[in-house]
Amino acid sequence: MLLSHRARLLELWRIAASYRIDTHFSIEEAPQLQPLARLIRSHPAAWGKKHQPNAIKYALEDMGTLFLKLGQLLSTRRDLVPPAIIDQLVQLQDRVKPFSSDTAVTQIQDSKHGLGQSIDELFARFDIKPLAAASIAQVHTAALHDGREVVVKVVRPDIRTTIVNDFELLRELASWVSARVEAARAVHIIDIVEDYRQVMLNELDLVLEADNTTQMRNNFLGSALMYVPEVYAAAKNVMVMERIQGVPISQTHIFDELGYDRAALAQKGLTIFFTQVFRDNFFHADMHPGNVFVETPSINSMADGVNSIAHEPRYIGLDCAIMGSLSRDDQLIVARMLLAVMNNNFTAVVDIVSRAGWIPPNTDKHALMRDMKRTVGPMLQKSINEIDFAGVLMQILDIARRHHMSIPPQLMLLLKTLVHVEGLGRDLYPDLDIWSLAKPILSSWIKEQLDPVRNLQQLRTQLPEILLSSTDIPKLLDQGLQSLASQGARQDSQLREIQQIRADMLNDRRRDWLALAGFGIFIAIATQVVGWLSPIFYILATLAVVWRILG
């Protein structure tokens, strides 16, 4: 129950009040926030305090990692959040309050969860001042003894307990919402919270992040689209990796100064996303601007006014802690749905959804098709700057609620990533035509997946395993026949039990009528006769009731 988290709720209330975050929202433009603003103002911590600059940023930092992540997600939504608040949220991407350098050194040298060596043994130079600080970890620059420049990522101390407790609160809120809002049940909000909880806990283990980084590096080795730095060493709380030269995707003015083609960059970014989702089935699921960088020339070259990059600038893959993947069936479903939408074929969309089992058999498919066409159709003729993905997503969820659709939880992480991608594309190149770019990528991938020659080659490689498995066929047939026989016996037994229950119910109903009739007759007689006979009939009426109760 939410009351079991009252201490945490009171703490969040106090933090919101102490920073007077209510003064950063326009109640006139968003009257639905008025009750929340009154609640914040009523807390003693708010008394006598006025508007504070950067209060949203500081409040989210004090609230903890989950709220920092929420701020990072919202920082890409300039269409949803006022510019004054966006300016604060952007700072959460890499300018979170750092923890002490002494603590970072202790974490690095720790023998259990660190690298188990002293700073001097590990590095020729270690810069005490952090380069950046984010929600999960902070980064220091250093140099190895062979001269290679590296960055050292160190997990924030003691954040696991806070994350676990906050997810318990979030799960209670999800249960409360799911019990009352059908749209929340349609997207399996409780499962999403549980999945994201595991994702967040995995993010605290830098060994897993190192493995993810290495896998994504291997996926893009030699690629002209993206470069992923090399990992040199990793432990649970520490990771050492190659230092790269680049700037966050949000600093578009630098791209203009360097003469980069922002349209080409935006197309590369979208191509990378679809490549990760469909070619590699391993996509970056935390693509806020603090995690997406673009190559730049070295500092010296920039000072000289010379662009030292001989090739077109690439994206740089960082912070691979949260990665997503889909089953092959879900990949095909998503690709076919997107392609059907691009072809304005909403009959096919509904057919794909139906075959996937996302809607009940009795759903009015024509009504669903009309709703999808009305909601999604207008997007097809617009550039990314004119599309409100978040608004469309909410409309789609509303359609899901009305038609009792069931959206698999594993797709929600992909939808979250799409919201990030849209926000990044909107800032980088607002006129990007995502449909004309995505359509050939999806068409090519689907053709490849359905290519009979490719499928035959896959079958040929799997043939030895299939032949080995075929030796189990007689055993499986025997087990199946035994199962059918036992199931038939169970069904016969259940049928006899049902028949017995039906007979008992008929007997009970017969006794009910007899008892009721006897009671009514004896009462009627008792009210008509006089003298010493009247009590006898009342006793008989009582006995009729007792007989039914005990019978």
Side-chain angles (χ1 to χ4, degrees):
M1 294 177 63
L2 288 175
L3 286 177
S4 63
H5 300 279
R6 57 186 177 277
R8 179 59 169 155
L9 290 170
L10 290 172
E11 181 187 13
L12 296 175
W13 182 22
R14 178 191 60 76
I15 293 171
S18 63
Y19 286 105
R20 286 301 306 273
I21 65 173
D22 58 298
T23 62
H24 289 257
F25 299 98
S26 174
I27 302 302
E28 291 77 15
E29 295 180 5
Q32 64 271 23
L33 295 178
Q34 194 164 5
L36 181 61
R38 281 199 299 266
L39 182 66
I40 292 173
R41 289 195 298 266
S42 67
H43 196 285
W47 298 350
K49 293 184 179 177
K50 297 182 179 179
H51 180 88
Q52 305 171 46
N54 267 351
I56 300 290
K57 172 184 179 290
Y58 296 140
L60 292 177
E61 286 179 342
D62 286 357
M63 287 177 179
T65 305
L66 275 185
F67 297 90
L68 285 173
K69 287 290 185 183
L70 175 62
Q72 290 172 350
L73 174 61
L74 291 175
S75 70
T76 66
R77 303 302 314 197
R78 294 185 181 274
D79 56 322
L80 302 179
V81 182
I85 296 178
I86 282 286
D87 292 340
Q88 299 181 57
L89 298 181
V90 165
Q91 299 176 52
L92 296 174
Q93 294 163 8
D94 58 2
R95 281 177 282 170
V96 178
K97 188 188 303 180
F99 55 90
S100 74
S101 299
D102 291 340
T103 302
V105 170
T106 302
Q107 294 265 80
I108 293 169
Q109 297 180 154
D110 181 65
S111 59
K112 185 176 181 181
H113 298 307
L115 298 178
Q117 294 178 272
S118 69
I119 289 292
D120 293 335
E121 290 176 309
L122 291 166
F123 308 108
R125 185 194 83 249
F126 182 81
D127 299 325
I128 293 298
K129 183 180 179 181
L131 175 67
S135 55
I136 295 292
Q138 71 184 32
V139 173
H140 293 260
T141 52
L144 300 179
H145 290 289
D146 60 7
R148 287 178 295 178
E149 289 290 320
V150 297
V151 292
V152 185
K153 185 172 183 177
V154 187
V155 172
R156 288 181 173 273
D158 305 323
I159 67 170
R160 178 178 289 270
T161 302
T162 303
I163 289 176
V164 169
N165 291 339
D166 279 352
F167 265 108
E168 290 297 323
L169 170 59
L170 194 60
R171 193 187 189 287
E172 292 290 346
L173 288 171
S175 299
W176 186 87
V177 171
S178 184
R180 292 161 176 79
V181 181
E182 190 172 353
R185 292 193 295 274
V187 298
H188 304 278
I189 189 170
I190 297 176
D191 293 337
I192 292 169
V193 169
E194 288 298 324
D195 289 346
Y196 198 59
R197 174 182 180 274
Q198 191 56 53
V199 166
M200 285 284 291
L201 292 178
N202 289 344
E203 194 174 358
L204 302 180
D205 189 346
L206 295 187
V207 174
L208 291 176
E209 180 176 340
D211 291 342
N212 291 339
T213 303
T214 300
Q215 181 175 342
M216 193 161 76
R217 175 180 171 82
N218 292 334
N219 289 343
F220 284 90
L221 274 179
S223 171
L225 297 173
M226 185 167 70
Y227 180 79
V228 182
E230 184 179 356
V231 176
Y232 298 133
K236 186 168 186 178
N237 290 338
V238 184
M239 182 172 68
V240 181
M241 65 189 301
E242 175 186 1
R243 187 177 182 182
I244 46 83
Q245 191 71 41
V247 296
I249 191 70
S250 57
Q251 297 185 14
T252 54
H253 63 282
I254 294 181
F255 304 146
D256 294 335
E257 292 171 4
L258 293 172
Y260 288 177
D261 185 344
R262 285 166 59 175
L265 276 178
Q267 290 176 2
K268 275 188 178 180
L270 199 63
T271 302
I272 289 170
F273 170 73
F274 283 110
T275 301
Q276 289 181 341
V277 173
F278 295 110
R279 186 196 71 181
D280 303 330
N281 193 20
F282 190 71
F283 60 90
H284 199 304
D286 194 21
M287 295 178 66
H288 64 77
N291 288 341
V292 182
F293 279 59
V294 175
E295 277 184 321
T296 58
S298 65
I299 296 173
N300 293 333
S301 298
M302 290 176 68
D304 296 337
V306 178
N307 188 336
S308 65
I309 296 182
H311 52 78
E312 289 294 321
R314 298 172 294 184
Y315 282 83
I316 299 170
L318 297 175
D319 199 354
C320 301
I322 304 178
M323 306 298 292
S325 63
L326 302 172
S327 68
R328 186 174 183 275
D329 288 343
D330 285 337
Q331 277 185 298
L332 282 169
I333 290 169
V334 171
R336 291 176 61 202
M337 282 181 62
L338 287 173
L339 201 57
V341 168
M342 292 174 194
N343 291 327
N344 206 21
N345 187 354
F346 290 94
T347 303
V349 172
V350 174
D351 183 59
I352 293 166
V353 169
S354 177
R355 290 176 181 272
W358 294 3
I359 56 176
N362 60 345
T363 299
D364 186 344
K365 295 181 180 180
H366 293 289
L368 177 58
M369 182 188 67
R370 287 195 302 270
D371 286 346
M372 293 292 291
K373 188 171 185 177
R374 185 184 67 251
T375 302
V376 183
M379 295 171 54
L380 302 177
Q381 308 302 323
K382 297 180 179 179
S383 65
I384 196 170
N385 190 44
E386 300 173 299
I387 301 173
D388 177 13
F389 273 87
V392 171
L393 178 58
M394 293 307 296
Q395 292 181 53
I396 290 174
L397 294 181
D398 185 56
I399 292 173
R401 175 190 60 79
R402 292 201 308 272
H403 294 278
H404 306 287
M405 289 177 61
S406 178
I407 301 175
Q410 64 269 26
L411 296 183
M412 294 308 296
L413 192 62
L414 180 61
L415 291 175
K416 167 184 171 288
T417 306
L418 277 171
V419 172
H420 272 316
V421 169
E422 181 242 344
L424 297 176
R426 187 186 296 271
D427 287 344
L428 185 61
Y429 185 67
D431 295 325
L432 177 66
D433 184 356
I434 62 173
W435 308 116
S436 62
L437 180 64
K439 189 172 181 178
I441 297 174
L442 290 173
S443 299
S444 174
W445 184 83
I446 290 176
K447 287 178 182 177
E448 181 183 345
Q449 298 303 305
L450 301 179
D451 181 15
V453 176
R454 179 179 180 273
N455 290 331
L456 282 173
Q457 289 174 345
Q458 286 184 342
L459 181 63
R460 188 180 304 159
T461 59
Q462 297 171 357
L463 191 58
E465 183 180 346
I466 294 172
L467 291 174
L468 287 173
S469 301
S470 65
T471 59
D472 293 331
I473 291 177
K475 181 180 177 181
L476 292 173
L477 285 173
D478 181 59
Q479 289 177 347
L481 291 172
Q482 290 181 9
S483 176
L484 286 173
S486 61
Q487 187 176 1
R490 283 197 303 271
Q491 288 177 343
D492 289 341
S493 175
Q494 290 171 351
L495 180 59
R496 286 193 295 270
E497 290 176 3
I498 291 171
Q499 289 173 340
Q500 184 61 46
I501 291 170
R502 185 172 180 275
D504 292 342
M505 289 176 63
L506 290 174
N507 288 332
D508 286 342
R509 189 178 301 174
R510 197 175 295 115
R511 292 192 187 98
D512 289 341
W513 282 109
L514 287 173
L516 182 60
F519 177 79
I521 291 170
F522 290 136
I523 289 293
I525 295 173
T527 57
Q528 297 297 321
V529 301
V530 293
W532 60 271
L533 288 175
S534 179
I536 293 176
F537 285 104
Y538 279 117
I539 293 172
L540 290 173
T542 304
L543 289 174
V545 174
V546 172
W547 170 76
R548 180 63 195 97
I549 294 173
L550 299 179

